[in-house]
Amino acid sequence: MKYNKLWTIGFLAYKHSGFNLLLLLAGLKKKMGQAFGCMQVDQSNVAITEQFGKFDDVLEPGCHCLPWCFGYQVAGELSLRVQQLDVRCETKTKDNVFVTVVASVQYRAMAEKAADAFYKLSNTKAQIQAYVFDVIRASVPKLHLDATFEQKNDIAKAVEDELEKAMSAYGFEIVQTLIVDIEPDINVKRAMNEINAAARMRVAANEKAEAEKILQIKRAEGEAESKYLSGLGIARQRQAIVDGLRDSVLAFSENVPGTSAKDVMDMVLVTQYFDTMKEIGASSKSSSVFIPHGPGAVRDIASQIRDGLLQGNSAQQ
């Protein structure tokens, strides 16, 4: 009957004054339970009991009888859940670069050492933070900046080993230690990015120059091959012309008695000369070419062409 009235009051308080009053009444119910010598320990928690101010026992989750009239009381509760503490530590590396190392420590109280965890430390987080500072500021100054990033797992292992050795005496277990971030100064970070960008640009420039070099080599090889083939074509063309002229001169000399090879060559050259003049005059897009066209000039041109062909033929032979 008494508890029903209490819950009725709690409902009215929640309706008119909010949920905070309901929580207050729930705490009042817990106090009333202790007044009758009973108490409840929640899951993942343990309760530390004392008798006349002296440690007595560690209560597991559940309902327990605690007769206050014999001097028993609850000193407090201790959570067995895994807790996390993020520690930011500023230090400098061996090459005098200031960095902020962020360490994440996951820890929990051990049930078998709950009394040590409850009585031996007044501020667990401050104690863990002090050990983290000590290990990080002893490890990072031995490393250069690049090595600090590369060996962050070794730093985390050193922090975890030191914490495990120190905190086990106080009833705490270190579940895991992580170095989650290493933050250099903003100016150092910008300089590192510029160095990386410059290195990549240098590599890109070298690759571009190498590609241009290959293109030029291939282009030169192509031009050399083209000129070589063109030279072979011109040589074959001249050889064919010489062979054709020789055959024509021999055939004409044999068929027309009394003519010499010189006479035949003069006639051929004059014929080619007039054919050339005809083609120049027939083409509308040809440029003007001024050459001597008198009979004496024709004889001079014939002599020059004949001498050039004979010299070229002699050189080939």
Side-chain angles (χ1 to χ4, degrees), residues 28-293:
L28 180 61
K29 176 183 177 182
K30 186 174 181 179
K31 294 293 184 181
M32 292 181 62
Q34 294 178 0
F36 287 101
C38 296
M39 71 163 298
Q40 172 185 314
V41 181
D42 297 332
Q43 184 64 34
S44 299
N45 290 337
V46 292
I48 308 299
T49 61
E50 297 176 346
Q51 185 179 19
F52 296 111
K54 181 181 178 181
F55 170 72
D56 176 66
D57 195 8
V58 177
L59 302 182
E60 300 290 336
C63 183
H64 300 273
C65 181
L66 197 68
W68 57 268
C69 56
F70 293 105
Y72 290 99
Q73 65 175 355
V74 177
E77 292 188 1
L78 184 67
S79 175
L80 301 180
R81 297 177 180 175
V82 176
Q83 303 180 60
Q84 178 169 311
L85 175 64
D86 293 329
V87 181
R88 299 177 63 88
C89 176
E90 185 178 9
T91 183
K92 78 179 186 68
T93 60
K94 191 174 182 179
D95 46 353
N96 296 322
V97 177
F98 281 89
V99 295
T100 300
V101 181
V102 182
S104 180
V105 181
Q106 299 173 358
Y107 67 96
R108 65 183 175 187
M110 295 183 287
E112 60 274 14
K113 293 184 177 181
D116 294 337
F118 185 80
Y119 286 105
K120 288 188 176 182
L121 284 180
S122 60
N123 193 337
T124 305
K125 294 184 177 181
Q127 186 79 3
I128 293 176
Q129 185 175 5
Y131 280 110
V132 172
F133 280 178
D134 180 67
V135 175
I136 291 179
R137 288 175 176 169
S139 301
V140 174
K142 299 178 183 178
L143 304 172
H144 291 278
L145 180 61
D146 293 338
T148 303
F149 283 95
E150 295 172 358
Q151 301 181 21
K152 68 174 189 145
N153 291 334
D154 297 336
I155 299 173
K157 188 67 170 61
V159 173
E160 183 175 348
D161 293 342
E162 184 67 22
L163 284 176
E164 185 69 30
K165 181 173 63 177
M167 298 303 295
S168 61
Y170 299 109
F172 285 92
E173 175 189 5
I174 304 301
V175 178
Q176 193 171 17
T177 302
L178 303 172
I179 301 297
V180 296
D181 197 9
I182 299 176
E183 301 175 357
D185 183 75
I186 184 64
N187 295 324
V188 176
K189 190 182 297 184
R190 186 182 300 111
M192 292 174 65
N193 291 334
E194 291 177 356
I195 292 173
N196 190 14
R200 293 183 181 276
M201 290 177 65
R202 183 169 61 252
V203 173
N206 291 335
E207 294 294 334
K208 183 178 180 180
E210 190 67 23
E212 291 180 354
K213 175 182 176 183
I214 294 173
L215 288 176
Q216 291 178 359
I217 292 174
K218 294 298 182 183
R219 189 181 296 112
E221 291 177 353
E223 291 178 357
E225 185 69 18
S226 175
K227 290 180 179 179
Y228 173 75
L229 295 176
S230 177
L232 288 178
I234 293 173
R236 291 175 181 175
Q237 179 186 10
R238 290 177 178 177
Q239 184 65 37
I241 292 173
V242 171
D243 293 341
L245 289 174
R246 184 179 62 248
D247 294 341
S248 298
V249 169
L250 292 176
F252 194 85
S253 298
E254 292 176 357
N255 295 327
V256 181
T259 58
S260 63
K262 180 178 180 302
D263 296 334
V264 175
M265 286 296 301
D266 290 340
M267 185 183 65
V268 171
L269 291 175
V270 170
T271 302
Q272 290 183 348
Y273 171 77
F274 284 110
D275 289 341
T276 303
M277 294 294 292
K278 180 180 179 181
E279 291 179 0
I280 294 174
S283 177
S284 60
K285 295 182 180 180
S286 62
S287 300
S288 299
V289 178
F290 295 95
I291 58 175
H293 58 277

Side-chain angles (χ1 to χ4, degrees), residues 296-307:
V298 172
R299 181 177 301 175
D300 293 337
I301 294 173
S303 300
Q304 295 176 7
I305 295 174
R306 182 176 60 255
D307 293 340

